[in-house]
Amino acid sequence: MDQLYYNVNELMEGLRFEYLSTGQKIIRKAIVFHETRIPFLYSLTLGDIDADGKLSTESRSNNGDMAKNLATVYRTVEQFLINNPRALIIFSGNTTSKTRLYQIAIAKYLDHFLDRYLIWGIRCDNDQRETFQLNQAYQGFFITNKVLSS
């Protein structure tokens, strides 16, 4: 993926990545991997860091740097899966439009992603998981390494 991305600070033993989005304004952002009760399953969250230090997933920054933010998320997923080769990551947008944005980004770079990762979508029409398909509506996604390293 040959897209510009932000440099991140890795925190909390690689479960949190923070950076500054420098589009039309400067916004502190965080990408967090939350370990679930299911072994090796992690939920990915992207949000703005509020003035009080709390992560807000409800904000709409419209900062003019969407592609750079998505590339930054991809780079942190890549690093996370290198550090946690057995991990399975689940994610979706907090709105239908954000989920659709993620789907478009995955579709755009699908050939690149499939060299290294397995990607599934959770279908909107029947809640079933399937290998990611172009032109299929999804409500969420899973990603993991294609080949587990030892």
Side-chain angles (χ1 to χ4, degrees):
M1 184 175 192
D2 296 327
Q3 191 69 257
L4 292 176
Y5 59 92
Y6 290 111
N7 291 322
V8 297
N9 294 318
E10 186 175 330
L11 307 167
M12 295 175 47
E13 298 180 9
L15 294 175
R16 183 180 178 108
F17 298 82
E18 292 185 3
Y19 65 98
L20 292 178
S21 167
T22 56
Q24 298 166 353
K25 51 194 172 224
I26 296 174
I27 301 172
R28 288 180 58 211
K29 292 193 171 279
I31 302 160
V32 182
F33 296 88
H34 300 278
E35 193 169 6
T36 69
R37 291 186 218 166
I38 300 170
F40 306 108
L41 179 64
Y42 293 83
S43 171
L44 182 151
T45 303
L46 168 65
D48 293 355
I49 302 172
D50 291 339
D52 61 3
K54 293 183 181 175
L55 188 64
S56 171
T57 58
E58 302 300 318
S59 58
R60 297 186 70 154
S61 20
N62 295 325
N63 205 24
D65 59 349
M66 178 185 61
K68 198 169 182 179
N69 280 298
L70 289 174
T72 304
V73 171
Y74 166 73
R75 295 290 180 178
T76 61
V77 166
E78 182 178 53
Q79 186 60 50
F80 184 80
L81 288 173
I82 288 169
N83 295 343
N84 302 277
R86 296 177 67 192
L88 175 65
I89 300 167
I90 185 171
F91 64 99
S92 65
N94 63 331
T95 65
T96 304
S97 61
K98 282 188 182 177
T99 301
R100 178 79 178 124
L101 173 67
Y102 298 157
Q103 180 171 333
I104 291 168
I106 292 169
K108 182 175 180 178
Y109 297 102
L110 189 60
D111 288 340
H112 173 79
F113 294 151
L114 291 180
D115 289 343
R116 297 177 60 189
Y117 306 112
L118 298 172
I119 303 172
W120 298 274
I122 304 166
R123 290 178 60 126
C124 291
D125 58 354
N126 64 12
D127 294 332
Q128 296 297 307
R129 179 190 56 131
E130 68 179 15
T131 301
F132 186 92
Q133 303 292 321
L134 297 175
N135 303 314
Q136 175 61 53
Y138 295 114
Q139 59 183 305
F141 311 93
F142 290 96
I143 184 169
T144 192
N145 284 312
K146 188 176 244 183
V147 178
L148 295 178
S149 58
S150 46

